[in-house]
Amino acid sequence: MIPFPKIHDLYVARVAVTTVLLAWAVLTGLDVMLSGLLSEIDDIGEGDYGFGAAVTYVIYTVPRRAYMMFPTAAVIGTLMGLGVLAASSELTALRALGLSRKRLSASVALPLLVLTAVMIINAETLAPWAQRSADTMKAAAKSPDLIVARYSGLWAREGSTFLNAQGGQERTEDGRQVLELNQVRLFEFDGAGRLVSVANAASAEHDGDGWLLQGVRRVWFEQRAVSETEVMEERWTSELDAAALATAGNLWRPRYQSAAELRGGIDYRQRNGLDASEYEEHYWGRWFYPLNVLALVLAAVPFAFGSLRSGGLGRRLFIGVVFALGFWLLQNQFVRLAGVYQFDFRIAYLIPPAVMLAVSFLLFRRRSG
């Protein structure tokens, strides 16, 4: 049991949090500039999507990028902060006062867990909302006939036909990119603005050669009668821009959704016999996020009691990057194996932090010996 924080706990926590925040700001800023703004340059000039709109889009993605960068910033910032204390012999002085390694580790880990909790709340609220707003703005700017609404789904227009879809996804099939829209409705009007027909389709797929509607039930509105037809498949001759719809489809990509939305997506796909592995991957990634941060930080702390006492900023930065990259490469490899061999994603996400915590434990025992 850890007693009430004392002045030395607060001092160590302040140093660690300060360096973590600085590393976090630098990493998020680099991500915004390199993988954010630079990647948007190719889209500038399409429709009304100009430089100002691109900057606005990237700003909206900052909460999501901050969430993704935080674990790496946590381990790099922790190593840098404790390295500063070790180089100035302050850690040695604190140890001489009787502070154990466990107490110093707790002084670092507890405030970072508070920041982790803030990031979890961000991932469930601000980040998904901001990403949806960014994608909606971008899609509307690039294609004036394309609108994405939060609750009514995707709306697109081609000539006198209006399309509405409640969801969708992209997948690779025989080397081709296939865009699939779910719960599709088509509203067709004549030249006078009179409703001619309404079609309900379970799905609509675009494979590069056109649209294929599945499970189509169409209601025809004639001058004095209403009729209904139903077919299993129907080809829809349309030049509707599938690339623009795929851009709007970012709203449906699992990595941009909250845990609650991912859980709903998993349940829906399991009920309908569909592949839910992508949703499960990101869903359990949300749950193991705090464990990942804790494992990275605790595995890095023992270095402050030895190898960080000598050496400059470059060495600490190098060790932090190696820790972070090694961890994420290991975890991504296990997650991919889980997707290929169909074993539980929870096992894939548990193994890397368990390895890191075991490394931390062994290093603590070695430093204590």
Side-chain angles (χ1 to χ4, degrees), residues 31 63-72 119 289 328:
D31 187 53
R64 173 180 61 82
R65 298 178 188 278
Y67 172 82
M68 296 173 62
M69 288 293 121
F70 178 71
T72 303
M119 280 296 95
Y289 183 88
W328 295 122

Side-chain angles (χ1 to χ4, degrees), residues 119-349:
M119 280 296 95
I120 293 173
I121 295 172
N122 168 54
E124 295 303 305
T125 55
L126 180 59
W129 172 84
Q131 186 66 51
R132 281 192 292 265
S133 299
D135 290 325
T136 299
M137 180 274 296
K138 181 177 180 179
K142 292 177 65 175
S143 178
D145 292 331
L146 185 63
I147 300 175
V148 184
R150 175 68 180 88
Y151 296 102
S152 60
L154 170 70
W155 287 89
R157 175 187 177 186
E158 188 199 12
S160 59
T161 301
F162 291 80
L163 176 144
N164 172 240
Q166 295 300 308
Q169 60 186 351
E170 289 183 280
R171 68 175 189 274
T172 302
E173 191 174 280
D174 298 330
R176 299 179 303 169
Q177 284 296 117
V178 177
L179 173 63
E180 179 182 353
L181 302 179
N182 302 323
Q183 301 179 49
V184 178
R185 292 185 296 171
L186 296 174
F187 302 87
E188 185 179 355
F189 296 84
D190 61 16
R194 186 177 65 88
L195 182 63
V196 175
S197 68
V198 176
N200 288 274
S203 65
E205 293 186 2
H206 190 282
D207 56 5
D209 299 326
W211 292 93
L212 178 63
L213 307 178
Q214 300 279 354
V216 184
R217 184 172 60 86
R218 187 183 298 271
V219 178
W220 299 90
F221 299 94
E222 302 172 2
Q223 289 186 350
R224 297 186 178 182
V226 176
S227 60
E228 181 178 344
T229 59
E230 189 170 348
V231 294
M232 294 297 295
E233 291 185 352
E234 179 181 320
R235 274 285 175 183
W236 178 34
T237 304
S238 170
E239 297 181 0
L240 190 62
D241 188 1
L245 293 176
T247 300
N250 283 344
L251 298 174
W252 307 313
R253 290 182 181 177
R255 62 177 178 173
Y256 295 152
Q257 296 180 2
S258 66
E261 292 170 329
L262 290 169
R263 182 71 259 177
I266 292 171
D267 293 340
Y268 170 80
R269 280 156 179 76
Q270 289 179 343
R271 286 197 308 268
N272 291 275
L274 303 174
D275 181 20
S277 60
E278 186 177 5
Y279 283 76
E280 291 177 341
E281 172 187 340
H282 292 281
Y283 176 75
W284 291 115
R286 298 284 197 278
W287 281 97
F288 280 89
Y289 183 88
L291 181 60
N292 293 341
V293 176
L294 181 63
L296 278 169
V297 171
L298 291 181
V301 166
F303 283 85
F305 302 111
S307 60
L308 293 183
R309 189 171 298 136
S310 60
L313 176 64
R315 182 178 183 180
R316 298 167 201 148
L317 184 61
F318 174 75
I319 293 176
V321 171
V322 168
F323 260 94
L325 286 180
F327 178 83
W328 295 122
L329 287 174
L330 181 64
Q331 190 167 74
N332 287 338
Q333 188 62 37
F334 274 105
V335 169
R336 289 178 182 177
L337 289 173
V340 172
Y341 293 104
Q342 300 295 309
F343 64 86
D344 200 322
F345 280 101
R346 286 170 287 189
I347 298 176
Y349 278 111

Side-chain angles (χ1 to χ4, degrees), residues 16-186:
V17 169
T18 299
T19 52
V20 166
L21 291 177
L22 288 173
W24 194 9
V26 171
L27 290 175
T28 304
L30 289 174
D31 187 53
V32 166
M33 293 300 298
L34 298 179
S35 65
L37 192 58
L38 289 181
S39 65
E40 294 299 310
I41 291 179
D42 292 338
D43 293 332
I44 293 177
E46 295 186 24
D48 296 328
Y49 192 65
F51 181 76
V55 172
T56 303
Y57 173 84
V58 173
I59 291 175
Y60 270 106
T61 65
V62 169
R64 173 180 61 82
R65 298 178 188 278
Y67 172 82
M68 296 173 62
M69 288 293 121
F70 178 71
T72 303
V75 64
I76 292 177
T78 297
L79 284 167
M80 292 174 63
L82 292 181
V84 170
L85 294 177
S88 61
S89 299
E90 290 179 273
L91 279 184
T92 303
L94 291 172
R95 293 279 292 130
L97 290 174
L99 268 72
S100 67
R101 289 180 171 87
K102 292 181 180 179
R103 180 64 179 256
L104 290 171
S105 300
S107 299
V108 174
L110 291 179
L112 292 185
L113 286 178
V114 174
L115 291 178
T116 303
V118 173
M119 280 296 95
I120 293 173
I121 295 172
N122 168 54
E124 295 303 305
T125 55
L126 180 59
W129 172 84
Q131 186 66 51
R132 281 192 292 265
S133 299
D135 290 325
T136 299
M137 180 274 296
K138 181 177 180 179
K142 292 177 65 175
S143 178
D145 292 331
L146 185 63
I147 300 175
V148 184
R150 175 68 180 88
Y151 296 102
S152 60
L154 170 70
W155 287 89
R157 175 187 177 186
E158 188 199 12
S160 59
T161 301
F162 291 80
L163 176 144
N164 172 240
Q166 295 300 308
Q169 60 186 351
E170 289 183 280
R171 68 175 189 274
T172 302
E173 191 174 280
D174 298 330
R176 299 179 303 169
Q177 284 296 117
V178 177
L179 173 63
E180 179 182 353
L181 302 179
N182 302 323
Q183 301 179 49
V184 178
R185 292 185 296 171
L186 296 174

